[in-house]
Structures are given as C-alpha cells and as structure tokens.
Amino acid sequence: MRETGISNEEAMEFTVEEEKEEEERIQNLRSKATELLLREEYKDSIKTYSQIIFLCQESISKTDPKSSQSRLSNIKRTLCLAFSNRAEAWARQSEFSVALRDCEAALSIEKSHFKTLLCKGKILLSLNRYGAALDCFKQANLDPHATENSDMVNGLLKKCKKLKSLSRGGTFDISDWVLGGYRGKTPELAEYIGPVEIKKSEISGRGLFATRNVESGTLMVVTRAVAVDRAIMPQDSGENAHLVIWKNFIDKVVETAKKCEHVSSLISFLSTGECEDERALEAPDMEVFRSEAEVGIGNVGGRVDNERLRSILDVNSVLEDAISAKILGKNADYQGVGLWILASFINHSCDPNVRRVHVGDYMVVHAARDVKAGEELTLAYFDVLAPREKRREMADNWGFVCGCKRCLFEDGVCFKNDMREMEMAMGKGVVDVGSLVYRLEEGMRRWMVRGRGKGYLRASFWEAYGKVLGSEKVMRKWGRKIPAAEAVVESVVQAAGSHERIVRVLLEGLRRGAGGVNGVVEMEKVIKLGRGLYGKMMKKQAIGALLQIDGKE
C-alpha cells in the first residue's frame, strides 16, 4: 500500500464505505420500483428492477463469500425478490415467457420463495397448465407466509383442482348459467382434448379425427382463443366497421404471439393455405396441445414471422355465429372473430358431424350426430341448409372447392336441369313451396334416390321444406302428399347435422299434432336433437330453455 499512501486499515474502511453506498443505492431503487409497480407503471418498474438485478449480480461477483456470508445472503435475498417482482411486472403485461424465466431465476436462489411460487402458479394457470400451477400453489401453501394469505392460496388451489379435473374428464355443465339468463360471470371452462387426433386429411392438409365411436352431443374439444375481437355490428354496418374488427384482431394475435413463445410455436403448426412441403404438413403430436403437457418455456414448433402469421389468420380465423351469440346471451347484432388453434385443424364439409358453441373466449366442439372411430371431424364453415350453387359460391368466397360426399352426390345426379330449375324458382321467392317440395319428393321417387341422398337434397331445399312443415295452412293442403315432419327432419339431420332451424320445425309439428310437446317419446326426440345442437354440457332443462320449450309441456 506504500505506492498509494493508504494503509490496510484505511483500505478496509474505504471498502466498507463503498458497500454502504451500494446498499443505500439498491434500497432507494427498491423503493422506487415498488412504487412504480403499485402505480401499475410496469415498463418503468421493469427497468428499475433490472438495475437492481445488475447491481446485485455485480456485488455478488465482487464479494468474498468466505469473509462476507451475512452480506452475501442479504444480497441474494434482494436479488431473488427483484427477479420475483420483475416477473410479476412482466406477467401483468402478459409477457409470460420472460416472466417465467424470471420466476425460475428467483427460485434458483430460493426454491420455496412464497411470492415467486404464487406468481409462477398464476402464470401457468393463465397458460392453461393446471397441473403445473397446482404444484406451485401446493408448494407455496407449505410456506409460513401462506398462513397470512390462506384465503387467497386456498382459493387458487380450489380453482386449479377444478380446472385440472375438467381438463382431464371434460365434465362441463353450464346449465345453471343458461337457466339463470346468463347473469353473473361466464362459467369457468378449461382446455379439454377428447377422443381426437391429428392426421393427414383426404379433404385438405391435416384434419382432426375421432379415435373412438362417440354419440351425438359428445364433447370433442374445448379450446381457448389465442385472441378474439368482438363488437355490436348492426346489419347496415359498412365494410370499414368489419375491417376495424379484423385489424384489431390481427393486432391482438401478433401481440400475443410476440409475448408468448409457446403460443407462437403452436400457431406455427397451422397451415397458410398455400402450397406447403411435406414437413410443414406433418401431424404434430397431440401432447403439445394438452394443458398438462410438460412443455418447455421456449419453442415447440418454432417462431412464426408476421407475414406468415397473417396468411395463417386468413385461413384459420373463425367468425362467431348467431348460435354462439345466443349461448353468450348476446343480441343478434353481436359479431366476433378469433383464432382457436386446435379447432383450426377441423376441415369443412356440407355433411358436417360436429358443431361449435362459443362460451366466453372458449370454443366448445361436440358431435352433431353419432361419429365412428377413424372418421374425420368436419364443421360447416357456412350455411349448409342452402342449395348446391349457393354453397359453391360460399366455398369460393372461402377460397376452396368443396368435394364432400354431399357435394359430389349433387354434382353427379342425372337430373341436374330439374334441380337447377327448382333452385332458381326457390331463389326468386315466388314459387308455391308446397308444390316445389311435392315436385322434389316425386322426383326422388322417380330417380330412385335412397337413404342419405334424400337427406342431402332435402337439406339443399330446406328453405322450402321449412316453410311447408312450419305452416299449418300449407300442411293442410300438402300434408298427405309429402313425408311427415319427423321423417324429413331425421333424414336432414343425418345429412347436415343438427341445426336450430331444423329443430324448430320439428317442435312446431309436434306442438300442432299433440297440443304441445308433452309426450315422453316426442320430448326425447327433441332433446336428442338439442344435444346435437348444444352438446351434453347442458342438462335437459337448459336445452329446453334454449329451444324455448315451455317447462309445463
């Protein structure tokens, strides 16, 4: 120390003074960061916690562990808390990937840190990883701090257990909410994957297939939206209003994908609708979609750039329909668009076997009729109770040519001219619907159309059938010349799945015939069709309420 003129004692005092200054600086930063976090100024709080983390790490690297054990422990505790609080700030901005990394950094310092375990558990819960979240809350519950926060911890444990059970068993029931007039919060749902798998599809690209036989109403998939945008859109809304919803939706998806690597990687599995190589069309392992899967914080399929993301959204985004609005308790002008990843693998058919219902941000997919093992699940992307030419136009608007069994059947019938004449007559709206239905029924008898073919053609002319079967006056004139409502409905459901317009016609027919839907057999028929419409997640009473069946009947 002769060269500097400072003694060993003076050097020691200088180091202690530096330590005090550093501790005071860190303490001031902690106070500032805490205040920023409480004021919900998350970006600034993250910057301040980052400064604390840097100073703590620098201090640890300079501190002699042999001579300063106590000081080293204090710095590590400060570092742990800084990582934990920064994780909370990241999580409040839905930056889940970096938030989880900060949680891991904090737990590597103190593996049972109560606040970090709570933060990590809440993040995992937001990502639908119920089992992993439950483990965090269980571990946090062992900490002495849990006694002071017992109500909160027990509430999180109860919620996680419920969602984990729903995710595994699919025992959803929203009957009370529907019967209560949609009052209160939307029921808590969980992501659920039923008896399905992804395989190469003969329809297009990859598809979702049933792994076992299921009956109508069986729950197949419950999946939460990556993002969704909704608005009240009156019928006279211009194109600009729809463009605003679309832009807001794209911005939300881009932001979510940027903030969560796992979501981005799952989106990357989806098709852009363009020519893609064999590798891009490989069927991903179903495990990556399961909420309980032990997936890493990072990528599974890879990051997706914004240009490809927009192409994916063009092909895979879904509009919430009128039935969805009804289940949500919304009015008819309510519209929404969203992205549901797993449901995006379901291809279109004019002969669909599943239906979707939206509850909150979740899409619920259930069997619309009995489905056999190995059968591909198909949805109706547009109104399938429309004539062939109209459906061809709608498919063209979606950017594809439908080649389902129903379309191929109708394209191949030898009586095309007769069909076109009837389509044109119905389109003009001036035709005697009773005469048209009678003409079609007589034509099918002459053309020897059997089985499912009858259902296909009746579905294509449902506008006419619905008017005939729904009118007491028209039925008095034509009732003896055409099939009974029950026979028509049964054949159409087999061809196009359950549909609210079809069930309504059956209900009206039963009411006229028996003075009300009061027979056990009749009621069971309606409820079976109702399960095809809304799934088994609702009890009979709730289905009856949605179909407006008087409970006294």
Side-chain angles (χ1 to χ4, degrees):
M1 306 298 286
R2 290 178 183 174
E3 294 180 5
T4 62
I6 302 175
S7 65
N8 287 336
E9 289 77 9
E10 289 173 326
M12 180 73 72
E13 289 173 3
F14 182 75
T15 304
V16 170
E17 189 64 31
E18 281 186 333
E19 288 176 357
K20 286 182 179 179
E21 288 179 3
E22 187 179 71
E23 286 173 6
E24 186 177 346
R25 185 182 177 191
I26 290 174
Q27 186 57 45
N28 289 335
L29 286 171
R30 283 182 62 180
S31 298
K32 179 183 177 182
T34 301
E35 185 179 346
L36 289 168
L37 189 61
L38 291 173
R39 292 209 308 252
E40 299 183 0
E41 296 178 22
Y42 301 122
K43 289 184 178 179
D44 288 337
S45 71
I46 288 169
K47 289 179 182 178
T48 309
Y49 281 122
S50 297
Q51 288 179 275
I52 297 171
I53 290 167
F54 174 78
L55 290 173
C56 287
Q57 289 174 332
E58 189 178 55
S59 183
I60 289 170
S61 67
K62 291 179 179 180
T63 302
D64 184 357
K66 293 181 180 179
S67 59
S68 305
Q69 277 292 333
S70 176
R71 181 172 184 277
L72 195 61
S73 296
N74 288 335
I75 295 171
K76 285 184 176 180
R77 277 196 293 271
T78 301
L79 179 61
C80 177
L81 188 59
F83 273 124
S84 182
N85 287 337
R86 192 172 74 172
E88 183 179 343
W90 283 123
R92 294 289 182 88
Q93 297 183 103
S94 300
E95 298 274 5
F96 297 131
S97 296
V98 287
L100 283 172
R101 278 196 281 270
D102 274 356
C103 286
E104 294 304 321
L107 293 173
S108 68
I109 299 168
E110 187 180 333
K111 66 178 182 180
S112 58
H113 192 248
F114 177 75
K115 188 173 184 179
T116 305
L117 288 169
L118 281 185
C119 181
K120 183 181 177 182
K122 289 176 182 178
I123 294 169
L124 292 169
L125 192 56
S126 298
L127 295 173
N128 302 318
R129 294 182 60 191
Y130 316 114
L134 184 60
D135 290 340
C136 286
F137 296 137
K138 282 181 178 178
Q139 193 174 349
N141 201 35
L142 299 174
D143 190 278
H145 290 92
T147 305
E148 304 169 17
N149 303 275
S150 59
D151 289 344
M152 176 184 63
V153 177
N154 288 331
L156 289 168
L157 282 168
K158 184 178 179 181
K159 180 177 181 178
C160 262
K161 288 176 182 177
K162 176 186 175 182
L163 294 178
K164 184 178 180 181
S165 175
L166 289 173
S167 178
R168 288 185 172 181
T171 53
F172 300 90
D173 187 352
I174 63 170
S175 301
D176 291 341
W177 182 62
V178 172
L179 290 169
Y182 313 101
R183 286 186 292 272
K185 290 184 178 180
T186 304
E188 280 188 330
L189 302 184
E191 296 231 324
Y192 167 76
I193 299 177
V196 299
E197 63 180 342
I198 299 171
K199 295 196 303 184
K200 190 172 182 180
S201 168
E202 292 183 1
I203 298 174
S204 176
R206 296 155 298 178
L208 212 57
F209 291 77
T211 57
R212 61 176 172 82
N213 295 340
V214 297
E215 61 180 16
S216 179
T218 300
L219 198 61
M220 307 303 283
V221 170
V222 179
T223 178
R224 190 169 68 179
V226 170
V228 63
D229 196 68
R230 304 181 176 102
I232 301 298
M233 299 287 289
Q235 291 184 354
D236 59 352
S237 297
E239 186 178 349
N240 287 339
H242 291 273
L243 289 175
V244 169
I245 289 184
W246 179 249
K247 183 183 181 302
N248 290 341
F249 163 62
I250 291 176
D251 290 344
K252 286 182 179 180
V253 177
V254 169
E255 190 69 11
T256 302
K258 184 174 70 174
K259 290 179 176 180
C260 186
E261 294 172 3
H262 184 58
V263 169
S264 178
S265 65
L266 291 179
I267 292 174
S268 72
F269 286 123
L270 300 179
S271 172
T272 60
E274 301 169 357
C275 293
E276 296 176 292
D277 57 32
E278 284 297 318
R279 185 179 179 184
L281 294 176
E282 287 179 1
D285 191 328
M286 289 300 297
E287 287 304 310
V288 303
F289 298 100
R290 296 187 187 278
S291 60
E292 301 293 346
E294 289 299 322
V295 294
I297 296 170
N299 290 359
V300 179
R303 277 282 186 180
V304 54
D305 61 75
N306 284 355
E307 185 177 349
R308 184 164 184 267
L309 178 58
R310 290 174 185 275
S311 295
I312 287 172
L313 294 181
D314 282 339
V315 175
N316 297 283
S317 58
V318 173
L319 296 173
E320 291 180 328
D321 57 14
I323 295 295
S324 305
K326 182 172 183 178
I327 297 299
L328 285 163
K330 304 290 184 181
N331 61 43
D333 293 333
Y334 168 92
Q335 290 185 26
V337 59
L339 176 67
W340 291 266
I341 295 176
L342 190 54
S344 296
F345 288 96
I346 305 178
N347 283 307
H348 165 84
S349 174
C350 296
D351 179 16
N353 55 20
V354 297
R355 280 183 64 86
R356 58 185 170 93
V357 168
H358 297 262
V359 179
D361 286 346
Y362 285 84
M363 181 192 291
V364 180
V365 179
H366 62 268
R369 52 180 168 81
D370 295 348
V371 180
K372 294 181 180 179
E375 186 177 345
E376 181 171 1
L377 305 187
T378 53
L379 273 168
Y381 289 6
F382 43 75
D383 183 13
V384 293
L385 297 181
R388 175 66 180 114
E389 288 304 314
K390 182 65 176 177
R391 300 201 314 274
R392 198 194 306 275
E393 290 175 15
M394 290 188 284
D396 186 59
N397 290 336
W398 276 79
F400 68 90
V401 176
C402 185
C404 70
K405 290 181 180 178
R406 177 180 168 191
C407 286
L408 292 176
F409 169 80
E410 292 184 63
D411 286 343
V413 291
C414 58
F415 39 91
K416 287 182 181 178
N417 289 335
D418 287 353
M419 298 294 292
R420 287 198 187 97
E421 286 178 14
M422 285 187 277
E423 282 186 28
M424 290 174 63
M426 189 168 64
K428 292 177 181 178
V430 294
V431 68
D432 179 349
V433 287
S435 175
L436 188 148
V437 167
Y438 175 71
R439 179 182 173 187
L440 180 59
E441 288 293 331
E442 283 297 297
M444 287 192 289
R445 183 180 61 80
R446 292 196 312 273
W447 304 321
M448 299 184 69
V449 175
R450 299 285 185 268
R452 209 177 190 94
K454 286 187 176 182
Y456 289 153
L457 296 182
R458 287 167 176 167
S460 293
F461 288 86
W462 183 255
E463 183 182 343
Y465 277 92
K467 288 178 179 178
V468 171
L469 299 174
S471 169
E472 189 172 358
K473 179 180 178 181
V474 178
M475 283 299 289
R476 279 200 299 267
K477 179 179 180 181
W478 294 97
R480 293 183 180 181
K481 299 179 180 180
I482 60 175
E486 292 179 52
V488 173
V489 165
E490 185 178 352
S491 68
V492 174
V493 168
Q494 284 299 313
S498 291
H499 196 287
E500 194 171 49
R501 280 181 280 163
I502 299 172
V503 180
R504 291 264 173 235
V505 166
L506 178 62
L507 272 172
E508 288 304 314
L510 292 173
R511 284 190 176 112
R512 287 199 306 270
V517 188
N518 53 9
V520 175
V521 175
E522 288 82 1
M523 190 62 178
E524 284 301 320
K525 287 178 181 177
V526 174
I527 292 300
K528 184 177 180 180
L529 291 177
R531 287 199 181 102
L533 268 177
Y534 308 118
K536 291 183 178 179
M537 62 189 298
M538 281 186 265
K539 295 186 178 74
K540 289 182 179 180
Q541 297 92 325
I543 292 174
L546 286 168
L547 295 175
Q548 298 175 1
I549 301 174
D550 191 338
K552 296 178 182 179
E553 293 178 347

